[in-house]
Amino acid sequence: GAGMTVIDPNPAVTRAGLVRELAASLGAAMIDPKIAFLVTEAPVTTPLGRVLTVVDALPWHEKRVKARLRELAAGPVDVRRRGLAGDVDAIAKRLRGSGSRRLTVLMTRHNDAPYAIIAEDGDRNGGNGP
């Protein structure tokens, strides 16, 4: 849900098979047993991955995600996917909005269904800074 933290582990962590260990050390849960995205209730910091703050999460359906991004005043979006097929660059172009908010869309799986997590960089002090 909103306010949670998502960690996108560095590729080195994933390649080394250390995602579960990273999750345990951060008190994080895996979104899906086969996928490297981790979630925590509380904000965390780690040099071992990119930390994002969850804005919203919904089943992956491109039109719905695009509509939600528009509501959130999204501008260019960074799309990252794990466990789903799709051309990330083409999807990012289609999802891009005319707003000023920089958001990341994580395309993933949750309970074996395609899922989207809309997030922003976690180190942005609530989005009030430059």
Side-chain angles (χ1 to χ4, degrees):
M4 292 179 75
T5 300
V6 180
I7 299 106
D8 181 6
N10 292 347
V13 172
T14 312
R15 277 198 302 271
L18 295 173
V19 174
R20 281 175 204 283
E21 287 78 358
L22 178 61
S25 73
L26 295 173
M30 296 179 73
I31 285 176
D32 181 279
K34 299 190 267 301
I35 290 169
F37 290 135
L38 307 177
V39 285
T40 65
E41 293 285 346
V44 294
T45 54
T46 174
L48 300 175
R50 183 165 173 219
V51 177
L52 300 157
T53 301
V54 176
V55 177
D56 202 359
L58 60 162
W60 172 257
H61 185 288
E62 193 174 306
K63 284 195 177 73
R64 255 176 252 153
V65 172
K66 186 175 171 70
R68 185 66 185 114
L69 287 167
R70 203 174 295 122
E71 287 166 13
L72 293 167
V77 292
D78 178 17
V79 175
R80 295 179 169 227
R81 68 183 166 81
R82 295 274 188 286
L84 290 183
D87 179 336
V88 171
D89 294 331
I91 292 164
K93 275 197 191 80
R94 292 197 299 267
L95 291 180
R96 161 184 206 124
S98 55
S100 58
R101 196 168 177 193
R102 285 200 71 86
L103 294 170
T104 298
V105 176
L106 307 175
M107 293 171 62
T108 186
R109 298 186 80 77
H110 179 57
N111 298 333
D112 256 342
Y115 209 68
I117 296 167
I118 300 170
E120 58 191 344
D121 281 322
D123 55 7
R124 295 275 292 276
N125 56 39
N128 299 328

